[in-house]
Amino acid sequence: MLEARAAVKTLHAYRPPLAGRQGLRLDFNESTIGCSPRVLARLRSLDAETLARYPEREPVEGEVADFLELKAEQVLLTNGVDEAIHLLCSTYLDPGDEAIIVVPTFAMYAIFAQAEGARLVQILSGENFAFPLESLLSRISERTRLIAVANPNNPTGAAVACEILWQVAIAAPQAAVLVDEAYFEFHGETILRQSARPANLFVARTFSKAYGLAGLRIGILAGDAGQMAMVRRVASPYNVNAVALAALPEALRDQKYVEHYVAEVQRSREVLEQELRSLGLHYWPSRANFVLIRVGTAYAEFIQALRARGILVRDRHTDPGCEGCVRLTVGSCEHTRALIEALRDVVEKLALQREVRA
Ligand SMILES: Cc1ncc(COP(=O)(O)O)c(C=O)c1O
């Protein structure tokens, strides 16, 4: 009988709650207003010939490289950051190698690393989800072949200084160190701006969040040209589809649209955090387009009560260190106003403040 590899059979399936997402979707950190109208116009202009041909990634890769002020050899377009993570794991991890992650964090690092048969080393974040530099450094060994850090982190919204990540890369030259900057636009700091980066350092970006293009599945993996040549060997030449490739240059050209949305999210994040303070709900200050809050034992009723008011938020209570926690995506000011209105109502109905303060 055909059997999957042992590493796959023991994997926990990751099933994000995608079904029944009607309402205001504040559960996946997507853009709440969608992509630039210029991108939509470009998509509408596509013809049958474009779709009949196999997609050509390289010209667009060149444009993305120019945008990032990198050389084309340093950039690979991927089917979302998810694929970038997958490719790094395929390129660098052998069975029995170690992959270090700082938890809580984005689920796909663990899945792709374990699927290769690697041993997962999970380092718990410090107090208030501070980056645990010392613990991480102490766990690096010769078997460490991958270290993945989301900056800012998901689901906490916490950011770590680029110098610290640099230190990690220097301390583990035998490991691919991935700095996942999926939420870069909302944070504004990037390790990509620093020159003479260590050759084992990789940076991932996505168009799923600030650009509003999660449905197109497009991301970037950037790194040292020699290392990227290795990663390219395991990538399909057609990993990014023609529709995404057609849209991407237009998305990059309309920076005004992205900047406008990011500024709005940053404003709404402030307003939301202020409201959480006045509601007496514990939250962690965020550098991304979401805020993690602690609701306590009533987290399931809280999520359900918001759903009943047409607002979807994400249950994070099973993440390490996140007991009773829920993650709220921050969108436009209008959407945040709707969230706040519902929050006031739900907090009162469930008498949450008393529990949190108790
Ligand atoms: C830290 C982080 N990295 C990557 C992703 C996935 O990005 P993409 O849609 O480009 O695969 C997410 C999505 O939630 C994320 O939170």
Side-chain angles (χ1 to χ4, degrees):
M1 189 183 92
L2 178 65
E3 289 204 42
R5 290 186 293 119
V8 175
K9 286 204 286 187
T10 52
L11 266 186
H12 289 291
Y14 173 55
R15 287 203 198 87
L18 279 165
R21 293 184 67 220
Q22 274 82 39
L24 176 54
R25 290 179 293 276
L26 305 181
D27 50 350
F28 278 67
N29 303 338
E30 297 156 339
S31 163
T32 68
I33 63 163
C35 69
S36 145
R38 282 173 52 179
V39 171
L40 276 184
R42 176 75 187 99
L43 292 176
R44 289 196 180 104
S45 76
L46 291 182
D47 56 19
E49 201 211 322
T50 306
L51 299 183
R53 272 190 274 133
Y54 278 99
E56 200 188 342
R57 200 179 57 206
E58 274 175 24
V60 184
E61 238 157 40
E63 290 192 44
V64 172
D66 287 346
F67 176 75
L68 295 173
E69 297 178 15
L70 296 173
K71 297 198 191 84
E73 313 87 82
Q74 295 177 290
V75 171
L76 174 69
L77 290 176
T78 59
N79 200 269
V81 170
D82 283 355
E83 194 204 15
I85 302 163
H86 199 173
L87 292 174
L88 280 182
C89 291
S90 307
T91 308
Y92 297 104
L93 291 177
D94 272 324
D97 283 345
E98 290 176 359
I100 301 184
I101 59 171
V102 172
V103 292
T105 195
F106 181 53
M108 298 314 291
Y109 311 133
I111 291 173
F112 288 133
Q114 288 175 309
E116 299 295 334
R119 204 172 73 76
L120 198 65
V121 177
Q122 304 191 56
I123 318 261
L124 197 58
S125 294
E127 201 171 327
N128 285 321
F129 302 118
F131 189 75
L133 177 65
E134 293 310 320
S135 329
L136 193 158
L137 292 178
S138 75
R139 298 296 294 278
I140 292 172
S141 77
E142 286 128 59
R143 296 309 308 256
T144 307
R145 294 274 291 153
L146 179 83
I147 302 174
V149 178
N151 192 36
N153 194 14
N154 174 14
T156 65
V160 50
C162 295
E163 297 70 46
I164 305 248
L165 297 170
W166 193 281
Q167 229 176 302
V168 171
I170 297 291
Q174 75 289 5
V177 175
L178 171 64
V179 177
D180 178 349
E181 296 187 346
Y183 301 97
F184 153 73
E185 290 82 3
F186 306 104
H187 177 41
E189 283 175 30
T190 173
I191 203 158
L192 264 187
R193 284 208 192 104
Q194 319 207 2
S195 54
R197 288 179 302 280
N200 60 325
L201 185 78
F202 295 85
V203 178
R205 294 273 183 88
T206 187
F207 293 89
S208 298
K209 310 296 179 183
Y211 286 78
L213 294 171
L216 280 187
R217 309 306 300 128
I218 183 119
I220 302 171
L221 182 65
D224 168 80
Q227 296 298 335
M228 291 306 296
M230 294 295 118
V231 178
R232 254 179 244 280
R233 289 186 185 189
V234 295
S236 157
Y238 315 120
N239 63 335
V240 176
N241 70 73
V243 177
L245 289 174
L248 194 51
E250 207 51 39
L252 285 177
R253 273 177 222 129
D254 199 355
Q255 281 302 307
K256 268 217 170 85
Y257 186 84
V258 178
E259 284 162 18
H260 188 270
Y261 182 62
V262 167
E264 184 157 348
V265 167
Q266 287 166 336
R267 272 199 308 278
S268 329
R269 189 173 66 196
E270 240 170 73
V271 171
L272 177 63
E273 290 182 346
Q274 161 85 45
E275 181 67 24
L276 292 168
R277 282 194 294 278
S278 61
L279 286 172
L281 284 175
H282 186 82
Y283 72 93
W284 286 269
S286 169
R287 301 291 309 169
N289 66 336
F290 54 84
V291 177
L292 186 72
I293 67 172
R294 177 158 278 147
V295 175
T297 49
Y299 65 86
E301 290 98 309
F302 175 85
I303 292 166
Q304 193 43 47
L306 283 176
R307 181 181 275 269
R309 287 161 181 78
I311 296 181
L312 310 183
V313 295
R314 191 74 176 270
D315 183 353
R316 301 269 36 148
H317 86 280
T318 57
D319 288 47
C322 296
E323 298 73 26
C325 286
V326 173
R327 192 189 64 199
L328 316 173
T329 297
V330 181
S332 65
C333 292
E334 182 195 336
H335 292 138
T336 300
R337 269 196 300 276
L339 171 64
I340 287 174
E341 213 166 284
L343 278 175
R344 285 180 183 160
D345 196 21
V346 167
V347 162
E348 198 190 315
K349 292 248 155 62
L350 298 180
L352 281 177
Q353 292 134 304
R354 279 195 295 281
E355 183 182 338
V356 168
R357 285 181 182 145

